[in-house]
Amino acid sequence: MATSGTGKSSWRQDIRKSEYLTAAAKAAGLALLAAYVFYDSPGAAVFMIPVGISYLRDCIADLAEKKEREFLGQFKDSIQAVASGLKAGYSVENAIRGAGRDLEALYGPDRRIRREFRLMIRQLDMNMAAGPVLEAFAGRTGQEDVENFVNVFAAAKKSGGDSIAVIRNAVRLISDRIDTEKEIRTMIASQKLEFDIMCVVPFVIILYMKATFGEFLGALYGNAAGASVMTVCLLLYMAAYRTGRKIVRIEV
């Protein structure tokens, strides 16, 4: 699933303030936990700020990707509604208006697809042509499937002939692609869950040992040698986390 730089920032603007605050709280909690687990000192959280910032960036990237996946489902419903309108004999402009009405029953007013269709309908009401309106839509999202749909629409209009049949066929192909991508992501969801569990396990083990064998781990805290060992462990953990994250973040 490829997106342009504009597209990536576009999905971030869909992240709610509460989601940002939750991600920031999780990042701060991780910094404090890492300071306690690896250095047994809340004051060491100052040195864990880069870890927290890195985790916060990952959380925001994951949220943006989630927003994009949600939008893909919304987009599939919207173009299927447009295709139904075209099949019923509507012009492209009226099919877009009809799809906007259909989406009102499926999604709340704050969902991205509803906002986009409201904007497109306003532009159509101002006598803008459907082609430029759809191109602007694709530019705002930067999403590959939207761009493909708009490109097919433009090519069908230029070539003439049965352009409605071409657009409907494109809708079917894009919808199938979105469904296939969803199935693939469902298949790899278990791997992501396993990765998340593996990330937590080292913290759980150390916390358990601190609670039950505190004296055994005591040599690792409060001295330069122990701090050096724990720093190496932390760096190895971060490297393993980065590697694992790249493995499970499969581009579909």
Side-chain angles (χ1 to χ4, degrees), residues 11-197:
W11 306 119
R12 290 181 182 179
Q13 73 183 19
D14 286 350
I15 301 174
R16 296 190 297 271
K17 184 181 295 185
S18 60
E19 292 174 320
Y20 273 115
L21 292 175
T22 299
K26 290 169 63 177
L30 176 63
L32 289 171
L33 179 62
Y36 175 71
V37 167
F38 288 94
Y39 300 103
D40 197 25
S41 171
V46 175
F47 302 101
M48 296 295 103
I49 290 177
V51 175
I53 292 175
S54 177
Y55 180 73
L56 178 60
R57 289 176 177 171
D58 289 341
C59 286
I60 292 174
D62 290 342
L63 284 170
E65 184 178 329
K66 178 183 176 183
K67 296 298 179 183
E68 183 177 10
R69 290 199 304 269
E70 290 176 350
F71 173 80
L72 281 175
Q74 301 165 13
F75 176 66
K76 185 188 78 170
D77 291 337
S78 71
I79 59 177
Q80 288 177 343
V82 170
S84 296
L86 294 173
K87 184 177 181 180
Y90 293 161
S91 65
V92 174
E93 291 78 5
N94 286 333
I96 292 174
R97 291 187 178 96
R101 290 190 294 270
D102 292 342
L103 292 172
E104 292 177 2
L106 297 175
Y107 301 107
D110 60 330
R111 304 302 286 271
R112 176 68 177 267
I113 198 68
R114 286 283 307 278
R115 299 200 306 270
E116 293 291 351
F117 265 75
R118 283 198 299 268
L119 177 56
M120 286 193 292
I121 292 171
R122 284 199 299 270
Q123 292 172 333
L124 291 174
D125 291 341
M126 295 170 62
N127 294 322
M128 289 183 62
V133 168
L134 289 171
E135 288 175 3
F137 172 40
R140 286 191 299 272
T141 63
Q143 215 291 322
E144 182 180 6
D145 290 304
V146 181
E147 293 173 352
N148 289 339
F149 174 74
V150 173
N151 290 337
V152 169
F153 173 84
K157 284 296 184 181
K158 288 181 180 179
S159 64
D162 193 355
S163 60
I164 291 179
V166 173
I167 294 172
R168 286 172 52 196
N169 185 57
V171 168
R172 180 181 60 80
L173 293 175
I174 293 172
S175 298
D176 289 345
R177 180 184 184 280
I178 292 173
D179 287 337
T180 301
E181 179 180 319
K182 184 177 180 180
E183 292 175 2
I184 293 173
R185 291 194 178 279
T186 300
M187 292 171 60
I188 64 177
S190 60
Q191 295 180 352
K192 291 186 176 181
L193 178 60
E194 292 174 0
F195 172 70
D196 291 339
I197 294 173

